[in-house]
Amino acid sequence: MDHPKPKVLPAGHHCPSLGMWALEAGRVRFSVPPSISRNSAMVNEPGGHGSPNPCLDGSSIGRESSKVSSRCSTRGLKPERHERLREKMRRRMESGDKWFSLEFFPPRLAEGAAKLISGFDQMGAGGPLFIDVTWHPAGDPGSDKETSSMTIASIAVNYCGLETVLHMTCCCQSQEKITCHLHKAKRLGLKNILALRGDPVGDQWKEEEGGFCYAVDLVKHIRSEFGDYFDIGVAGYPKGHPDAGSFESDLKFLKEKVSAGADFIITQLFFEADTFCQFVKACSEIGITCPILPGIFLIQNYHSLQQLVKLSKLEVPQQIKDKIEPIKDNDAAICNYGIDQAVSLCQRLLASGLVPGLHFYTLNRTTAAVEVLKRLGMWTEDPRRFLPWAVSAHPKRWEEDVRPIFWASRPKSYIYRTQEWDEFPKGRWGNSSSPAFGELKDCYLFYLKSATPTEELLKMWGEELNSEESVFEVFMRYFSGEPNQNGCQVTCLPWNDKPLATDTGLMKEQLLRMNQRGVLTINSQPNVNGQPSSHPVLGWGPSGGYVFQKAYLEFFTSPKTVEALLQVLKKYEFRVNYHVVNVKGENITNAPELQPNAVTWGIFPGREIIQPTVVDPVSFMFWKDEAFALWIKQWGKLYDEESPSQKIIQCIHDNYFLVNLVDNDFPLDNCLWQVIEDTFELLDRPPQTDTEMEAT
């Protein structure tokens, strides 16, 4: 059957164009799913009651999916993901596997908080058992401010996937206020509390009316109000608390805290291994059997050492003073000494056999801590991933093992937009006629924004854009890694705030050619047919398995390119699934109505097949709102209103299309590159004359 030549419509032409191109290209489906809405409460469920789980819709398919999801839970894929902190400690102690943990404090400024959070992903790569976040009464620690302890700890759990301990103090808080903070912590997914009396705001401790004066009372209150929900840590003082009458009386108070329900102890800093060892033995003699973690302070500069000594009321050993004094004005020398001193201290502690793990007071300076851990052989970066996407540590997401691929480079955004779901897909995505994704209005919170300063973004993305080709150049530099005309490497894009994923390097040459021609790629994956799960680039999941992928491409491109692409796709109708949409939501897809397409799956010994990423046509319509908005919210906002640069970005936002392609024949060579090449060939053909058009 002959098809008429598609009309080339000018940029900015909307509504009828996409449908017309589809019909002229011989498409049999034109789908604008009527169920799609921007209402985050919208779902399908009998009786009209909302359920934010897209696998639990009211149709028979939805109910079937619900049963399968429960049965196909991947709890066995990574059992420790479901363990409580105290269970993780117990398992590691039984196996003799030493661990480490890291302490951070909330910065005073939002910029500092954003920087700290961006560093959590790097810290998580080294394998800490947990991190903890301190509580400062003067900083409104229980509020929703960017710099509050509650916010920082919540982000670490929910968006960075880190087991997190939140400090909670008695200082300046009534019992009612403490209870309120604990309820909020529970709601946010926090399951661990370090219960402390806290340092007085002034020189002397002042009792809060209706509050607690001692940490033991806080521990009792937590257990009374919340039962066994929280794992509780308490502080120990290897030389005794400065306000205690004696070392022996302080040990008695510590025993009371443990008896009241504490699960583990973290000690105050100390300088000599014998101090800690004697403390542990003394604890054992009075019946304290829970894990005791040594608090390791890294000397990084003279000022911080003085401050810590003042607050802790500890005496620095003379041999350390003798080393520090001659170099007190040389921060680099002090830092090097601090690393050497910490390594030596930790080696002696580990050799004692009394230490299950090491807890580092980082003071938000992690370079020295990482160096110490590397020298100790405890910093273990494993390139393999548990799942192909970043997991959350929120308890209600422990069973989650399926997500749409669209948010692969923006996992924090996906977690944010699905935070109100009560349940999450397990084993399969199911029929998602009405996924309830949260609105974008709050999607640019500080922890979802680019961590790169505006000045650096301008150097990377162009202080002034001259044409759409200037934008193409930015994408090309991102994929090539070569410096731009400013001598600056492009290390991020609005859709990906991090350098290229390692598997993208396998497609570098093809992606460069695509982007040079204005096919602006924001997501891709190669086809994979049975690679070992231990593969350093493509692997994920436990050892002994095999992983599979369908080739996937997602990109923005011009109306003219879309017109040619739809013509080319006629030849690949039964092999390639596609979805094309513009900013207004006018879209076309040849995917079965509302049916997801599994594009990543894995087979592991003794387990059912796991399919962690899908291309879901309904979710894509929600993702497109975010993907288009990033042109303006992240890139366009860098320029003055009505400036030529801003107008170029606005034009792309208004006129380009977002496209995704899936090659279903994963055992064969990826055909998507040929699809794109055929599209370019069609675009490069000279225009037909009227006579030639009549002949066709």
Side-chain angles (χ1 to χ4, degrees):
M1 177 179 178
D2 293 331
H3 299 276
K5 174 71 176 177
K7 296 179 181 178
V8 180
L9 299 177
H13 189 95
H14 286 299
C15 286
S17 60
L18 198 57
M20 183 187 71
W21 293 343
L23 293 173
E24 292 185 346
R27 297 296 176 265
V28 296
R29 300 183 189 278
F30 179 60
S31 174
V32 184
S35 61
I36 291 179
S37 166
R38 303 306 181 271
N39 182 357
S40 64
M42 176 209 63
V43 293
N44 277 346
E45 192 169 22
H49 297 291
S51 168
N53 185 356
C55 288
L56 299 179
D57 64 85
S59 67
S60 60
I61 293 176
R63 288 191 292 272
E64 177 70 17
S65 298
S66 172
K67 293 176 183 177
V68 172
S69 295
S70 297
R71 187 178 67 250
C72 295
S73 167
T74 58
R75 188 178 181 89
L77 194 61
K78 189 178 182 185
E80 58 267 31
R81 188 182 179 196
H82 305 266
E83 290 179 331
R84 301 178 64 127
L85 179 55
R86 65 190 183 209
E87 292 169 347
K88 293 178 182 179
M89 289 183 178
R90 185 182 306 116
R91 178 171 51 81
R92 298 282 284 266
M93 291 173 70
E94 289 172 352
S95 67
D97 185 12
K98 307 300 184 186
W99 73 78
F100 70 91
S101 51
L102 304 166
E103 180 173 294
F104 300 94
F105 65 84
R108 294 182 178 180
L109 301 176
E111 293 81 1
K115 184 177 180 181
L116 175 64
I117 289 161
S118 67
F120 281 168
D121 291 332
Q122 297 172 332
M123 291 298 99
L129 186 65
F130 65 90
I131 70 163
D132 66 322
V133 179
T134 63
W135 184 274
H136 296 290
D140 201 4
S143 72
D144 293 328
K145 293 178 181 178
E146 298 106 317
T147 55
S148 77
S149 303
M150 191 76 74
T151 296
I152 299 294
S154 171
I155 292 169
V157 167
N158 288 284
Y159 299 98
C160 304
L162 295 171
E163 184 81 63
T164 303
V165 178
L166 174 65
H167 289 212
M168 186 78 67
T169 72
C170 305
C171 186
C172 302
Q173 299 196 100
S174 65
Q175 178 177 320
E176 182 181 3
K177 191 172 183 180
I178 288 172
T179 303
C180 182
H181 288 324
L182 290 166
H183 276 294
K184 183 176 182 178
K186 181 179 179 181
R187 186 173 69 253
L188 293 173
L190 293 159
K191 288 185 64 69
N192 311 298
I193 299 293
L194 189 66
L196 307 165
R197 188 196 75 165
D199 296 320
V201 175
D203 294 333
Q204 299 294 324
W205 175 266
K206 293 182 180 179
E207 183 175 348
E208 183 75 17
E209 184 176 352
F212 303 122
C213 289
Y214 300 103
V216 65
D217 299 318
L218 179 54
V219 174
K220 290 177 180 178
H221 177 70
I222 296 172
R223 287 288 177 238
S224 173
E225 292 292 322
F226 297 89
D228 202 39
Y229 175 81
F230 290 106
D231 284 4
I232 302 175
V234 293
Y237 298 86
K239 288 200 168 184
H241 193 283
D243 294 340
S246 66
F247 178 77
E248 291 73 22
S249 62
D250 191 49
L251 277 183
K252 178 184 175 184
F253 297 143
L254 180 59
K255 175 70 180 299
E256 289 178 2
K257 289 189 285 189
V258 174
S259 298
D263 298 295
F264 60 94
I265 297 166
I266 299 177
T267 76
Q268 188 190 48
L269 65 97
F270 55 89
F271 296 101
E272 296 173 316
D274 288 345
T275 302
F276 177 81
C277 295
Q278 292 168 8
F279 173 70
V280 172
K281 291 175 182 177
C283 288
S284 177
E285 289 171 0
I286 64 170
I288 295 176
T289 59
C290 67
I292 303 175
L293 309 182
I296 308 299
F297 170 68
L298 290 93
I299 302 172
Q300 298 186 59
N301 61 58
Y302 190 71
H303 176 70
S304 64
L305 176 61
Q306 285 185 313
Q307 287 294 107
L308 260 293
V309 168
K310 180 181 177 181
L311 289 173
S312 61
K313 301 179 182 179
L314 290 176
E315 183 66 29
V316 179
Q318 189 59 47
Q319 64 267 29
I320 293 180
K321 288 181 179 179
D322 292 342
K323 293 281 188 179
I324 290 289
E325 283 296 329
I327 57 174
K328 65 180 182 180
D329 296 323
N330 186 335
D331 284 351
I334 290 182
C335 186
N336 289 333
Y337 168 75
I339 290 172
D340 293 338
Q341 187 266 344
V343 169
S344 177
L345 173 62
C346 292
Q347 287 173 335
R348 293 196 298 272
L349 289 170
L350 293 169
S352 72
L354 299 173
V355 175
L358 302 169
H359 184 74
F360 289 87
Y361 297 113
T362 68
L363 301 183
N364 291 6
R365 300 170 187 163
T366 54
T367 303
V370 171
E371 179 61 26
V372 170
L373 288 163
K374 285 181 176 179
R375 291 196 196 180
L376 294 171
M378 297 177 71
W379 185 264
T380 54
E381 292 191 27
D382 187 348
R384 256 186 337 184
R385 304 156 292 172
F386 159 51
L387 285 166
W389 33 262
V391 300
S392 168
H394 194 296
K396 72 179 183 179
R397 301 187 86 115
W398 281 351
E399 300 284 348
E400 178 186 24
D401 61 11
V402 188
R403 289 182 188 172
I405 195 172
F406 318 122
W407 284 271
S409 297
R410 287 180 61 80
K412 291 181 174 66
S413 173
Y414 179 82
I415 292 168
Y416 177 82
R417 297 188 69 179
T418 58
Q419 64 182 320
E420 299 302 326
W421 291 8
D422 294 323
E423 294 181 270
F424 294 86
K426 299 177 292 186
R428 61 168 44 178
W429 182 256
N431 179 286
S432 59
S433 59
S434 300
F437 289 95
E439 292 288 350
L440 277 172
K441 62 176 186 272
D442 295 324
C443 220
Y444 299 98
L445 302 174
F446 78 100
Y447 50 87
L448 298 179
K449 294 178 182 177
S450 174
T452 308
T454 299
E455 296 75 15
E456 292 184 29
L457 292 178
L458 282 168
K459 289 179 181 178
M460 287 192 288
W461 301 347
E463 294 173 341
E464 183 178 351
L465 303 175
N466 300 313
S467 64
E468 291 181 11
E469 284 72 20
S470 300
V471 175
F472 303 173
E473 180 73 16
V474 174
F475 277 78
M476 288 174 58
R477 296 296 182 180
Y478 178 66
F479 287 105
S480 71
E482 296 175 358
N484 61 19
Q485 61 184 8
N486 296 324
C488 180
Q489 280 193 311
V490 180
T491 59
C492 66
L493 291 173
W495 305 269
N496 191 345
D497 203 37
K498 296 181 179 179
L500 282 176
T502 50
D503 62 343
T504 306
L506 303 175
M507 308 174 287
K508 182 176 178 180
E509 182 179 341
Q510 295 92 333
L511 291 171
L512 276 172
R513 174 161 168 74
M514 288 174 56
N515 286 271
Q516 185 180 28
R517 294 289 302 267
V519 177
L520 306 177
T521 317
I522 63 171
N523 196 352
S524 61
Q525 71 175 28
N527 60 311
V528 175
N529 185 21
Q531 283 284 0
S533 60
S534 57
H535 191 282
V537 176
L538 301 169
W540 56 271
S543 300
Y546 294 90
V547 297
F548 303 80
Q549 291 180 175
K550 295 177 183 178
Y552 177 77
L553 281 176
E554 184 180 333
F555 51 85
F556 289 99
T557 197
S558 68
K560 185 176 180 180
T561 303
V562 165
E563 181 185 5
L565 175 65
L566 288 173
Q567 285 288 330
V568 168
L569 284 169
K570 288 186 298 181
K571 299 187 297 184
Y572 300 88
E573 184 71 35
F574 300 106
R575 178 168 176 176
V576 177
N577 284 123
Y578 59 85
H579 202 150
V580 182
V581 64
N582 63 13
V583 71
K584 289 188 174 182
E586 301 157 359
N587 78 109
I588 178 172
T589 176
N590 70 339
E593 185 79 6
L594 304 182
Q595 292 300 310
N597 185 352
V599 291
T600 308
W601 62 99
I603 300 173
F604 305 96
R607 297 179 174 92
E608 295 184 359
I609 294 175
I610 309 301
Q611 54 171 54
T613 58
V614 298
V615 170
D616 174 51
V618 177
S619 301
F620 185 63
M621 296 297 286
F622 288 92
W623 160 246
K624 71 93 181 169
D625 291 338
E626 181 172 340
F628 275 104
L630 287 167
W631 281 107
I632 306 300
K633 297 286 187 179
Q634 295 275 20
W635 199 333
K637 73 170 188 178
L638 298 177
Y639 308 111
D640 294 335
E641 284 288 329
E642 299 301 316
S643 66
S645 297
Q646 200 272 341
K647 287 180 178 179
I648 289 169
I649 297 298
Q650 188 71 51
C651 181
I652 292 174
H653 169 273
D654 293 345
N655 297 300
Y656 274 40
F657 288 84
L658 181 63
V659 180
N660 74 56
L661 305 175
V662 178
D663 179 4
N664 290 297
D665 282 347
F666 64 91
L668 306 180
D669 288 341
N670 180 358
C671 77
L672 299 185
W673 309 125
Q674 192 59 50
V675 169
I676 301 299
E677 286 299 323
D678 290 350
T679 301
F680 292 156
E681 181 183 349
L682 183 58
L683 287 168
D684 293 339
R685 289 179 187 173
Q688 289 181 309
T689 65
D690 292 341
T691 303
E692 290 172 330
M693 291 180 66
E694 288 175 5
T696 59

